[in-house]
Amino acid sequence: MKQVRVRFAPSPTGALHIGGARTALFNWLYARRNGGSLILRLEDTDNQRSTQESAHGILEGLRWLGIDWDEGPDRGGPFGPYRQSQRLDIYQLYLQALLDAGAAYYCFCSPQDLAEEKARALKAGGDYKYSGRCRCLGKEVALQRVRDGYPAVIRLRAPASGVTLVNDLIRGAVEFDNSLMDDFIIAKSDGWPTYNFAVVIDDHTMDISHVIRAEEHLSNTPRQVLIYQALNWELPQFAHVSMILAPDRSKLSKRHGATSVQEFRDLGYLPQALLNYLALLGWSSGTDQELWDMKDVIPLFSLDQVSRSAAVYDLDKLTWINGHYISRAEPGMLLEEMLRSERVQAWLSDFTMDYLLAVVELIKGRAKLIPDLIDAAAYFFEPVSGYDAKGVKKHFAREDCAELLQAGLEVLSADQDFTLQSLEAALRDKAALMNVKAADLIHPLRLALTGRTNSPGIFEVAVLLGREKCLERIKQALEWIEANRIINAANTYSQLQ
Ligand code: GLU
């Protein structure tokens, strides 16, 4: 079997969208599954819309996802260059070959000529396709016109009848009626190739074995097949992956929220979660398993298990998967993502890396997104500046609250070891002594130490915060309770007046 060489060929005209990322992922999985190579090619022949910034963003997005490539614009390779704008001489060579063989011809029809032709055809009630007016110009005449400086495009001489067959590994055999295709343009009047031409020349000269790409390119494929045939080249295998639809089954767009990899990263999704989710958008293992590490997908991946029907995007599921990965991730890796936030960067100036890592380890089971994680970590690094309102009502409004907190204060200041076990034992003893439940001591303590009603185990929190900070925070809570008691009493008094 031919060596597997697949490619991801984005146009650098915008961000890396999740559809593009999924195409890249499927190519990567296919390459890794088959011991092949993944080639990254930048299709930047649209020089109006292509930007360096977009190219950079796409490469960065792929790297963040962990999709690596074997040849590409940044790392070179034996089939370069890997940017279409640097391959113009290669396209020129094959354009000339097609012209020489009479398989392509110069067309001098101006946009206005074509518009008139189209208007006439539509008026006569037919579908429009280019009439082939310049087909019959003699080669010499055409060349002279080109030399005289008349603008000309180059068109492929396409068959007027019969069918062009595309054997697609996902969609099966798809037939296209040649009579619906015209002599399409393969080079523009500025000499640059069109997409359909450049893609064929590149896929062939880069020895691509499988073209795995988005379904939207299926309709381009018969034109590409005609170019392969005109050049007498063997076809690669084609596989067109179905669309990703929004939950309402419309085309996924900005109005459905984040659509680019960078946006998902900024919202706090992890690359492993996004990859896992994207793999499930179209590929199925044939089991119910939803959580997948890519290293386990690689040996199973095959195009036979890629669905023909559209995949419907489901943000809740992605978020659920993300929570799973956060709860199992290495704290160092989570911290790397958290450190994108300036708030977290500021923590680093007062706290050690080890402390940050210990906090992340303690709270990572409590977050679905990176910002949740940052929020859940905040009281370890920032003072408690307020108390959860529901918690205040439930725990700080109790008559005996100050007494309970005071007891907590005593336990935390007296306990010599200040370990999980010693603190827990001492607090339980204290509760028994006071004839209250341990929870009666724990709830106000949690609110005092964290400002919240939800946190990891309070003894773990206390140990990490350290005795000094704990005592400070309990005293601060006692003062707050006292001050609010006075205010409440004053309010009641004024209401009575
Ligand atoms: N450059 C095309 C795109 O970004 C991909 C073309 C292809 O894969 O053949 O949609």
Side-chain angles (χ1 to χ4, degrees):
M1 191 176 128
K2 201 175 160 184
Q3 166 77 3
V4 166
R5 288 179 54 84
V6 292
R7 80 318 188 259
F8 177 52
S11 304
T13 54
L16 175 61
H17 284 269
I18 51 167
R22 186 192 53 170
T23 301
L25 174 63
F26 283 12
N27 275 286
W28 179 82
L29 287 167
Y30 196 75
R32 298 296 169 250
R33 164 74 181 94
N34 294 289
S37 301
L38 172 62
I39 287 88
L40 178 66
R41 181 172 76 223
L42 287 174
E43 301 208 323
D44 59 349
T45 49
D46 182 345
N47 42 15
Q48 300 285 317
R49 293 174 57 227
S50 299
T51 65
Q52 282 292 350
E53 193 194 349
S54 157
H56 177 79
I58 292 171
L59 265 65
E60 199 187 67
L62 292 172
R63 283 194 195 107
W64 179 74
L65 283 170
I67 296 177
D68 58 341
W69 52 96
D70 306 290
E71 299 166 31
D74 57 327
R75 51 181 311 174
F79 296 86
Y82 294 91
R83 249 175 221 279
Q84 288 190 328
S85 58
Q86 294 168 353
R87 299 174 62 82
L88 298 182
D89 51 340
I90 303 176
Y91 307 130
Q92 210 48 55
L93 209 74
Y94 293 106
L95 283 169
Q96 196 55 53
L98 288 176
L99 284 168
D100 290 347
Y105 61 91
Y106 286 111
C107 167
F108 300 91
C109 294
S110 68
Q112 198 190 341
D113 294 338
L114 296 175
E116 281 168 16
E117 222 186 71
K118 184 171 181 181
R120 275 198 300 277
L122 294 182
K123 206 166 167 194
D127 285 337
Y128 173 67
K129 65 177 206 174
Y130 173 60
S131 65
R133 192 144 49 128
C134 293
R135 239 178 193 242
C136 313
L137 278 179
K139 248 189 208 170
E140 275 313 312
V141 178
L143 262 181
Q144 191 54 46
R145 277 203 205 175
V146 172
R147 277 190 224 112
D148 291 344
Y150 285 96
V153 299
I154 301 175
R155 290 182 183 268
L156 190 87
R157 213 176 275 275
S161 59
V163 292
T164 297
L165 187 70
V166 175
N167 268 318
D168 191 278
L169 293 175
I170 296 171
R171 328 197 84 78
V174 190
E175 282 188 358
F176 293 86
D177 187 345
N178 289 340
S179 68
L180 299 176
M181 276 188 281
D182 59 3
D183 288 349
F184 57 93
I185 299 175
I186 54 176
K188 296 174 262 184
S189 55
D190 59 7
W192 283 58
T194 56
Y195 156 69
N196 278 321
F197 188 70
V199 86
V200 168
I201 303 305
D202 289 346
D203 285 342
H204 178 78
T205 56
M206 292 181 177
D207 209 14
I208 299 300
S209 60
H210 296 75
V211 171
I212 304 169
R213 63 184 169 196
E215 185 184 7
E216 61 183 356
H217 289 295
L218 181 62
S219 59
N220 288 319
T221 312
R223 289 188 177 78
Q224 294 173 15
V225 168
L226 291 179
I227 299 173
Y228 279 100
Q229 287 171 349
L231 286 161
N232 250 324
W233 285 347
E234 198 185 319
L235 293 173
Q237 303 260 25
F238 290 104
H240 287 90
V241 183
S242 301
M243 307 250 291
I244 300 177
L245 297 180
D248 60 2
R249 302 194 76 87
S250 64
K251 192 168 179 237
L252 190 61
S253 73
K254 275 263 158 267
R255 76 191 160 87
H256 300 105
T259 50
S260 76
V261 168
Q262 197 157 2
E263 285 171 307
F264 282 104
R265 188 192 71 186
D266 293 346
L267 284 171
Y269 289 89
L270 295 181
Q272 297 84 341
L274 204 50
L275 283 180
N276 184 151
Y277 182 65
L278 289 176
L280 298 180
L281 279 182
W283 172 77
S284 149
S285 63
T287 70
D288 291 342
Q289 186 176 333
E290 300 210 280
L291 296 167
W292 286 94
D293 194 310
M294 288 309 109
K295 74 171 175 358
D296 301 321
V297 177
I298 290 173
L300 299 179
F301 189 78
S302 99
L303 292 170
D304 299 344
Q305 280 157 305
V306 173
S307 166
R308 264 191 230 194
S309 36
V312 179
Y313 166 78
D314 175 355
L315 186 63
D316 290 341
K317 185 158 167 192
L318 169 60
T319 309
W320 172 77
I321 292 177
N322 205 57
H324 164 85
Y325 280 92
I326 287 186
S327 68
R328 299 191 172 201
E330 283 292 315
M333 183 266 188
L334 293 173
L335 194 54
E336 214 173 286
E337 296 297 327
M338 291 166 75
L339 278 167
R340 288 181 206 285
S341 138
E342 284 176 13
R343 185 176 180 190
V344 179
Q345 288 164 21
W347 297 345
L348 262 186
S349 51
D350 291 326
F351 298 89
T352 65
M353 202 52 146
D354 282 350
Y355 181 70
L356 258 90
L357 289 171
V359 171
V360 173
E361 179 62 40
L362 181 62
I363 57 166
K364 67 183 188 182
R366 319 184 70 78
K368 288 206 158 39
L369 297 169
I370 294 293
D372 304 341
L373 207 56
I374 296 175
D375 180 61
Y379 57 83
F380 285 99
F381 305 95
E382 298 167 6
V384 171
S385 55
Y387 301 101
D388 176 273
K390 276 197 191 130
V392 167
K393 251 194 189 152
K394 228 167 146 186
H395 311 302
F396 280 2
R398 276 175 72 150
E399 271 302 310
D400 56 352
C401 169
E403 200 184 316
L404 296 171
L405 266 181
Q406 194 64 44
L409 185 76
E410 279 162 29
V411 168
L412 267 62
S413 49
D415 188 60
Q416 286 307 310
D417 298 344
F418 216 79
T419 63
L420 218 61
Q421 297 76 11
S422 67
L423 283 175
E424 176 158 12
L427 198 106
R428 290 196 187 281
D429 287 351
K430 186 79 166 181
L433 213 65
M434 293 171 74
N435 214 7
V436 294
K437 285 189 263 158
D440 292 329
L441 292 184
I442 287 172
H443 290 312
L445 195 57
R446 169 173 287 120
L447 196 56
L449 296 185
T450 68
R452 306 169 186 210
T453 49
N454 261 317
S455 78
I458 196 59
F459 304 111
E460 274 131 320
V461 171
V463 169
L464 253 185
L465 279 173
R467 188 198 313 272
E468 202 184 321
K469 215 169 249 175
C470 289
L471 301 184
E472 228 172 71
R473 288 189 182 181
I474 300 172
K475 286 179 195 154
Q476 176 192 326
L478 282 165
E479 280 164 24
W480 188 91
I481 291 163
E482 183 60 25
N484 280 276
R485 240 181 221 152
I486 295 167
I487 296 169
N488 286 342
N491 284 345
T492 319
Y493 178 72
S494 69
Q495 275 165 23
L496 290 173
Q497 291 293 302

